Amino acid sequence: CLDIARDEPDKRQDMLQKFQDFQKKADLYYVYHTVYRHVVEPFTSVLPEGLFNMSRYLLHNIEEEACYGISKSATLFALAKQSKNLGAFKLARTAYEKLRLLRIPQQFQDTVDLGSLTIRSKPFHDADELLPMCYRCSTTNPLLNKTGNRCVNCKQPFVHSFVNFEVLPLVEFVLEDGLTDEEAVHVLDMSIPKQKKKGPWTESKMGNFQTLRLGEEPPEEEDSFTARLKSNNDSDEFAPVVVNKSTLQAMSRSEVYILKWSKPLRYQFFKSLLPDVPITYCFTCNKLFHTDDFEQQYLQRGHCPFCRSRSDD
C-alpha cells in the first residue's frame, strides 16, 4: 500500500487508509491469537497481567466496530477470568454482565454462570495498582474506557508494549509546520546529552580534615517539553504535543524514540518520561517493547514477536 501511495499520487489517500486499516487488523489478530489460545487450551505461558492487558486492549478496539474472526465472547471470558484473579472486581462484574447478553459456547456456560454469582460477593471496585496512568497529564484512568485506548482527560493515546501490553512511559509528539523529519533527526543527533546533577552537598578536603556541607537543593528548571505537556486543552478533541526546533535541541537523544516509516508516511517521535525504563523497538514493524520482554521473547523464538523478523535480516 505504501509503495502504491508513493508512486501514484491519485491513489494516495485510499492506499494510506487501507494501510492504517490493515495495520490495525494485524495488531488485533496478533493479540487475539494469544487470548484465544488461553481460552481453548488448558495451559499458557503468558502471565495473568499480560492476558488481562491484552483482553482490555481487544475489548476497547472491538466495542464499536467488530473485526471478522475475533470473538467478543472469548475476549470477555478471558477478561472476566483474569480480572477476578487480579482483583479488578468492578471490571469483572461488567464483563460477566456483558457475557450474559451474548451467545457463548455451551462448555463455558456453567463457568460464566458460576462466575456471575461469585463476583457478587466481591467489592465493587478495582485494585488501584491495576489502573492505568496517563504519562502526559498524570490522570488515573478507569480500566474500561468509553473513548478507547486513550486518556479520559487529555485524550492522549496510550503506547503499549507489544508483549504484555503494559502502558509505556512514552508521549508522542509532532513537529511544527515547516520542520521536516530529517531535520528533526539531525537536530536530535546533535543535541548534548544531559548530565546527572550532583546531590545538594559539597565536599572539601583540607589536610587531615574532610568537611561535608549540606545545603538546599536548587529548584530544577522545567524544560520546554514538560511545559508543553502541561498546557491545557479546553476542547474535547485530542491535541497532540507540538514541538519546535528549540525544544528539540533541549531534548536528550537517548530519551527520544523515532519510528521511521516509509514514505509518504511521516516519522513518529516519542519522548520517554521515565528514562530509567529501558525500551526497545523493532526496525521492521516499528513496534515498541519493554527491553526485558523483547529480549526474552527473542531468545525463546529467535525473532521479533510481532513481525518475526530477525536482526540479521
Side-chain angles (χ1 to χ4, degrees), residues 49 52-53 56 82-83 85-89 91 126-133 140-143:
E49 292 81 0
F52 175 74
N53 294 328
R56 286 181 50 248
Q82 299 304 326
S83 299
N85 293 337
L86 295 175
F89 301 120
L91 180 59
D126 298 323
D128 294 337
E129 61 270 15
L130 296 176
L131 300 178
M133 188 192 73
T140 301
N141 286 257
L143 292 174

Side-chain angles (χ1 to χ4, degrees), residues 27-79:
D27 296 347
L28 296 181
Y29 287 129
Y30 166 76
V31 179
Y32 183 68
H33 173 71
T34 304
V35 174
Y36 179 76
R37 289 186 60 184
H38 164 67
V39 173
V40 300
E41 296 180 0
F43 303 104
T44 180
S45 60
V46 184
L47 295 175
E49 292 81 0
L51 292 169
F52 175 74
N53 294 328
M54 291 179 185
S55 302
R56 286 181 50 248
Y57 179 88
L58 266 181
L59 189 61
H60 280 137
N61 283 279
I62 64 176
E63 277 282 40
E64 297 182 358
E65 182 180 358
C67 190
Y68 177 78
I70 295 181
S71 171
K72 189 174 182 179
S73 61
T75 303
L76 287 170
F77 182 81
L79 180 61

Side-chain angles (χ1 to χ4, degrees), residues 48-298:
E49 292 81 0
L51 292 169
F52 175 74
N53 294 328
M54 291 179 185
S55 302
R56 286 181 50 248
Y57 179 88
L58 266 181
L59 189 61
H60 280 137
N61 283 279
I62 64 176
E63 277 282 40
E64 297 182 358
E65 182 180 358
C67 190
Y68 177 78
I70 295 181
S71 171
K72 189 174 182 179
S73 61
T75 303
L76 287 170
F77 182 81
L79 180 61
K81 180 179 179 181
Q82 299 304 326
S83 299
K84 186 178 179 181
N85 293 337
L86 295 175
F89 301 120
K90 182 179 179 180
L91 180 59
R93 192 186 301 257
T94 303
Y96 279 122
E97 290 176 356
K98 290 179 178 291
L99 275 173
R100 296 184 63 182
L101 302 177
L102 300 176
R103 294 184 60 183
I104 60 177
Q106 188 62 36
Q107 63 267 28
F108 300 139
Q109 188 66 54
D110 293 340
T111 305
V112 172
D113 292 340
L114 180 61
S116 301
L117 291 175
T118 56
I119 196 62
R120 297 180 182 180
S121 63
K122 303 297 182 181
F124 196 79
H125 63 81
D126 298 323
D128 294 337
E129 61 270 15
L130 296 176
L131 300 178
M133 188 192 73
C134 175
Y135 287 93
R136 177 177 178 178
C137 63
S138 301
T139 300
T140 301
N141 286 257
L143 292 174
L144 196 60
N145 188 353
K146 294 182 179 180
T147 60
N149 286 308
R150 59 181 66 243
C151 176
V152 295
N153 181 33
C154 64
K155 308 299 186 298
Q156 178 75 32
F158 292 127
V159 183
H160 297 273
S161 170
F162 265 67
V163 175
N164 286 327
F165 277 79
E166 299 173 345
V167 178
L168 295 173
L170 298 176
V171 174
E172 184 177 2
F173 62 89
V174 297
L175 307 176
E176 68 174 0
D177 296 337
L179 187 62
T180 64
D181 297 335
E182 291 75 12
E183 291 175 350
V185 173
H186 178 71
V187 171
L188 288 170
D189 290 338
M190 298 298 292
S191 63
I192 301 175
K194 294 182 180 179
Q195 297 181 355
K196 294 184 178 180
K197 296 183 178 181
K198 296 182 179 180
W201 51 269
T202 56
E203 180 183 6
S204 61
K205 297 181 180 180
M206 296 179 62
N208 296 328
F209 298 95
Q210 291 181 342
T211 59
L212 183 66
R213 181 175 299 175
L214 300 176
E216 296 183 357
E217 184 177 1
E220 185 177 354
E221 296 182 359
E222 184 179 67
D223 57 8
S224 56
F225 184 82
T226 305
R228 292 175 183 270
L229 288 181
K230 296 180 179 180
S231 60
N232 294 326
N233 180 24
D234 297 331
S235 64
D236 295 333
E237 299 295 331
F238 167 64
V241 180
V242 182
V243 302
N244 51 24
K245 187 174 181 179
S246 60
T247 305
L248 290 174
Q249 291 173 341
M251 292 183 182
S252 176
R253 181 62 180 88
S254 60
E255 298 177 2
V256 179
Y257 297 86
I258 306 174
L259 305 183
K260 298 182 179 180
W261 295 96
S262 302
K263 297 294 184 181
L265 292 179
R266 297 289 301 269
Y267 291 177
Q268 282 185 286
F269 296 85
F270 296 88
K271 173 73 163 59
S272 175
L273 300 185
L274 297 178
D276 294 335
V277 177
I279 298 174
T280 302
Y281 66 94
C282 176
F283 292 95
T284 304
C285 61
N286 284 331
K287 296 301 180 185
L288 293 151
F289 308 88
H290 277 299
T291 300
D292 294 340
D293 295 338
F294 180 80
E295 291 178 349
Q296 181 184 12
Q297 292 292 318
Y298 199 94

